[in-house]
Amino acid sequence: MQALGLTWRRITSNLRSLGVATGARKVVNVAFSDKYLLYTNVTISVTLSSIGDIMEQTYEIYTKQQDKYNPKRTMHMAFSGAAVGVLCHHWYKVLDKFIIGKTFDMVAKKLLLDQLIFSPIMIVTFFGSLALFEKDPVGNFKEEVRDKFVTLYHAEWLVWPPAQIINFYFLPTKYRVLYDNTISLGYDVYTSQVKHKKSIKIPPQDSKSS
């Protein structure tokens, strides 16, 4: 996180002398250049993961599901967003390096690999990164994956195939994470809801009662 702050301060300090329009174009060009693309992608993921959680908490407060805003929860979701942002950045570079072209076959291959390989990795990373902040990280991680993995993976198949067709067919690699996070803002609200929804544990039946 500290590296992100230093990088963005360095970029903005070099652009202060430019006009607004010229500066904005320069910021975009620099931010999405190969040198700074990782920082840009992580920043986007952190920001939108945080916004998604804030939106979900606002809804939960409005519906009386929780009493007040929990900033630690948003910070944890931001950390998870950073982890996911790093993975997405490298995944798309690898995918576009080995599967070149925008034919129907190429797009279909990327889509299948994305859903069958990367989606499960993303979900496990999501639960794993958040489990680090729990009292029992390993136990919490196992419980979350057991109880909630299928729910999120099912949602992944509903949301992402149509979105990723556009991503893989029309967009260059450097804009893929930006597009993903823009589409996934609503999805981030849902993942926050799934993550913080308490698991329903069914007590074991008393053998004497059967």
Side-chain angles (χ1 to χ4, degrees):
M1 293 295 184
Q2 186 177 4
L4 284 179
L6 291 173
T7 299
W8 284 111
R9 281 196 293 273
R10 190 180 303 120
I11 292 173
T12 54
S13 65
N14 293 333
L15 298 173
R16 286 173 182 169
S17 61
L18 299 174
V20 175
T22 303
R25 286 194 296 269
K26 186 69 174 178
V27 167
V28 171
N29 290 336
V30 171
F32 287 93
S33 65
D34 288 339
K35 183 177 181 180
Y36 294 109
L37 185 58
L38 174 60
Y39 298 106
T40 300
N41 286 337
V42 173
T43 300
I44 291 169
S45 296
V46 167
T47 301
L48 292 183
S49 292
S50 301
I51 292 173
D53 181 67
I54 291 170
M55 291 172 64
E56 172 59 22
Q57 287 202 57
T58 302
Y59 172 77
E60 290 176 7
I61 293 170
Y62 176 75
T63 56
K64 311 297 183 184
Q65 297 179 51
Q66 70 180 56
D67 297 327
K68 60 182 180 179
Y69 172 68
N70 182 354
K72 284 188 177 181
R73 170 174 153 177
T74 300
M75 290 177 62
H76 296 169
M77 292 295 290
F79 177 80
S80 178
V84 168
V86 171
L87 285 178
C88 284
H89 171 84
H90 292 293
W91 170 251
Y92 286 132
K93 289 177 76 76
V94 169
L95 207 57
D96 287 341
K97 180 179 179 179
F98 289 99
I99 304 179
I100 302 171
K102 294 186 177 181
T103 63
F104 175 81
D105 288 345
M106 297 297 101
V107 171
K109 287 178 182 178
K110 288 180 180 180
L111 179 60
L112 286 174
L113 289 173
D114 193 62
Q115 289 300 117
L116 296 175
I117 296 176
F118 193 59
S119 284
I121 293 173
M122 288 276 285
I123 294 171
V124 169
T125 300
F126 171 71
F127 287 129
S129 60
L130 291 173
L132 295 174
F133 301 101
E134 304 290 346
K135 293 181 179 179
D136 179 14
V138 175
N140 178 270
F141 172 71
K142 290 180 179 179
E143 180 181 340
E144 296 281 80
V145 171
R146 183 186 68 242
D147 295 345
K148 301 173 182 179
F149 178 91
V150 173
T151 299
L152 282 185
Y153 192 49
H154 181 258
E156 291 264 341
W157 276 97
L158 294 175
V159 173
W160 288 111
Q164 292 294 57
I165 289 174
I166 296 173
N167 196 1
F168 292 137
Y169 190 79
F170 292 104
L171 298 180
T173 306
K174 63 182 180 179
Y175 295 129
R176 295 207 193 284
V177 176
L178 172 61
Y179 171 82
D180 265 9
N181 279 274
T182 303
I183 296 297
S184 72
L185 180 57
Y187 186 73
D188 288 340
V189 174
Y190 178 70
T191 58
S192 177
Q193 180 187 80
V194 171
K195 160 61 187 173
H196 296 99
K197 182 179 179 181
K198 299 299 183 183
S199 301
I200 299 175
K201 295 184 178 180
I202 301 174
Q205 291 185 347
D206 188 346
S207 60
K208 294 181 179 180
S209 63
S210 59

